Amino acid sequence: MNIFICTAYLLSQPKLTKVKHQNFCYMLISLKNVLDNIPNIKIKAFAKGKVAKQVFDVYKQKNSLVIESSMYMKKMKTVNNNTKKSKVIFVKIHKIHNLSI
């Protein structure tokens, strides 16, 4: 498993759902970029269980967070079911720490 630690901003309000007594939380985050000439990277992130509830409780838009997670890529078909496939990067959050700035 790959471990990915980063500083990120929450761009969208986390959506908390419950499936079979398990919490799931999905959101859009922006990774802080050190290089000046490249814009920030937007990634879809999700969490489950106690971490999902923690993300939902800590939410404030443009909030800085330190995220300990793992990354993976998923191939997705286009909306009109053409042969084109795009790759989407997802982040599964394991731990989250709020930065008070």
Side-chain angles (χ1 to χ4, degrees), residues 48-90:
K48 67 179 188 176
K50 292 179 183 177
V51 178
K53 185 71 172 147
Q54 183 183 8
V55 169
F56 189 74
D57 292 341
V58 172
Y59 168 74
K60 288 182 187 172
Q61 196 164 10
K62 295 291 184 180
N63 206 7
S64 290
L65 303 168
V66 174
I67 297 173
E68 183 180 329
S69 60
S70 58
M71 293 180 73
Y72 66 94
M73 291 177 65
K74 196 174 189 181
K75 291 182 182 179
M76 301 185 82
K77 290 184 180 182
T78 56
V79 176
N80 55 5
N81 291 329
N82 286 341
T83 57
K84 295 180 185 178
K85 292 183 180 178
S86 62
K87 293 179 182 174
V88 179
I89 299 173
F90 285 94

Side-chain angles (χ1 to χ4, degrees), residues 7-84:
T7 303
Y9 290 112
L10 290 176
L11 294 178
S12 66
Q13 181 177 1
K15 294 171 180 64
L16 186 67
T17 59
K18 192 175 249 191
V19 178
K20 294 183 182 178
H21 306 291
Q22 180 80 9
N23 290 324
F24 290 95
C25 185
Y26 295 90
M27 72 210 91
L28 184 65
I29 61 172
S30 175
L31 298 181
K32 215 172 189 181
N33 198 348
V34 181
L35 302 175
D36 293 337
N37 57 352
I38 301 174
N40 289 349
I41 302 167
K42 295 177 184 172
I43 295 180
K44 295 176 185 174
F46 74 96
K48 67 179 188 176
K50 292 179 183 177
V51 178
K53 185 71 172 147
Q54 183 183 8
V55 169
F56 189 74
D57 292 341
V58 172
Y59 168 74
K60 288 182 187 172
Q61 196 164 10
K62 295 291 184 180
N63 206 7
S64 290
L65 303 168
V66 174
I67 297 173
E68 183 180 329
S69 60
S70 58
M71 293 180 73
Y72 66 94
M73 291 177 65
K74 196 174 189 181
K75 291 182 182 179
M76 301 185 82
K77 290 184 180 182
T78 56
V79 176
N80 55 5
N81 291 329
N82 286 341
T83 57
K84 295 180 185 178

